Amino acid sequence: MFEIFIGLIFLGVFAGLLSGFFGIGSGVILVPAYVFLFDYLNFRAEVIPLLATGTSMTTMAFTLPVASYTHYRNGKVNFNFAKKMILIAFLATLLGRYLALFMESETLQQIIAISLILAAVQIAFDFKPNRKNSSTSIFELIVVSGSIGIITSFVGIGGGILLVPYFTYKGLNMHEAIGTSSIMGFSIAVAGATGAFLFNPSEAQELRFVIGSAYIPAVLVAGLTSMYFARLGANISANTESKMLKQAFAILVIIAALRVFYITYV
């Protein structure tokens, strides 16, 4: 078990840096790592997807508050968007965790794979209109935050991969988009963690150290480790040029999309 402990520490370091730097929940790293861990621990195959996503979102509930506060302290959060979207995203994520109990994991992976690859193409090739669309309506924000909350709850990510492109399209610079995404991701992670504790597959009830659909040792080790490095990642982000940041984020999205396609079809 010592090697698992060391692996979770390194996972927490990497997840924290990603969360702070990119304003995401780092689920694109946590979910596949937890799938590998639970397979290594010989958990039943049918419960692994829900346990991986539930444990991922519970881990992010440790990481994202630190990253969010650091972005806020650096003046990189746009509350005009956040205050109108955060409650809807929270409720939608909670609903998504419940609906995930009744859906096939392959269907969920296909949905997110398509979403990620479209986002990756958009960011990598920078397709955009001649001017950004800074106008918003309450209806639009409800639809966007609700949709992202449900999608991210299905696959255990914090939503930054979808939120950052949306915020940049709405006129925020890259640093503001990442900081605002981090605040939104915190809401999504808390809702996901709440759903993970409330809604769990019956097969998981017999597993040791599992509460709801969260594996507590992984949450504690990776989550606590990630807290310091989330602050470090956020500070690095605030002092990195916007162009370089956008290129790095595009690479991350492409990797995430390829990872999801691999899990789905291989």
Side-chain angles (χ1 to χ4, degrees):
M1 296 297 290
F2 179 74
E3 66 274 14
I4 295 177
F5 177 77
I6 296 299
L8 288 172
I9 289 179
F10 279 105
L11 178 62
V13 171
F14 194 34
L17 288 172
L18 284 176
S19 176
F21 191 84
F22 290 111
I24 66 172
S26 64
V28 292
I29 302 299
L30 292 172
V31 172
Y34 287 149
V35 168
F36 175 81
L37 171 64
F38 299 148
D39 182 66
Y40 178 79
L41 294 174
N42 294 316
F43 286 3
R44 296 176 62 174
E46 58 268 28
V47 305
I48 287 179
L50 277 175
L51 285 182
T53 55
T55 306
S56 170
M57 300 199 84
T58 308
T59 303
M60 290 187 290
F62 281 86
T63 308
L64 280 166
V66 179
S68 300
Y69 176 74
T70 304
H71 285 297
Y72 166 74
R73 189 184 61 190
N74 291 333
K76 305 300 183 183
V77 177
N78 186 308
F79 283 102
N80 289 330
F81 282 98
K83 67 183 181 181
K84 298 174 183 176
M85 300 175 68
I86 199 165
L87 178 60
I88 299 299
F90 181 93
L91 295 175
T93 303
L94 201 58
L95 174 63
R97 287 304 302 174
Y98 175 72
L99 295 177
L101 289 174
F102 309 102
M103 298 185 69
E104 294 290 337
S105 61
E106 183 175 338
T107 300
L108 303 178
Q109 290 168 348
Q110 289 171 347
I111 292 172
I112 196 62
I114 293 171
S115 300
L116 284 178
I117 202 67
L118 290 175
V121 170
Q122 167 65 27
I123 295 173
F125 295 98
D126 201 21
F127 297 122
K128 59 184 179 181
N130 292 331
R131 59 185 181 86
K132 296 180 179 180
N133 181 6
S134 58
S135 62
T136 56
S137 66
I138 293 298
F139 177 75
E140 176 188 342
L141 295 178
I142 289 174
V143 171
V144 170
S145 55
S147 300
I148 290 177
I150 289 177
I151 291 172
T152 55
S153 70
F154 287 161
V155 291
I157 63 177
I161 280 181
L162 301 175
L163 285 166
V164 171
Y166 175 73
F167 288 141
T168 55
Y169 171 67
K170 301 310 290 186
L172 303 188
N173 64 52
M174 196 60 177
H175 292 98
E176 273 193 319
I178 287 176
T180 309
S181 170
S182 185
I183 292 286
M184 292 294 299
F186 174 43
S187 173
I188 289 172
V190 171
T194 303
F197 287 124
L198 292 177
F199 313 126
N200 64 302
S202 57
E203 298 87 349
Q205 295 176 3
E206 61 192 42
L207 298 174
R208 295 180 61 196
F209 308 119
V210 171
I211 299 178
S213 53
Y215 185 61
I216 300 305
V219 170
L220 292 177
V221 177
L224 292 174
T225 304
S226 68
M227 292 175 69
Y228 169 78
F229 289 93
R231 182 184 299 109
L232 178 61
N235 283 325
I236 294 173
S237 172
N239 295 293
T240 303
E241 290 186 9
S242 181
K243 183 178 180 180
M244 183 185 301
L245 201 56
K246 189 171 184 178
Q247 292 171 344
F249 184 75
I251 292 171
L252 177 68
V253 177
I254 292 171
I255 292 172
L258 293 175
R259 190 271 302 175
V260 174
F261 271 118
Y262 178 83
I263 290 174
T264 305
Y265 296 111
V266 176

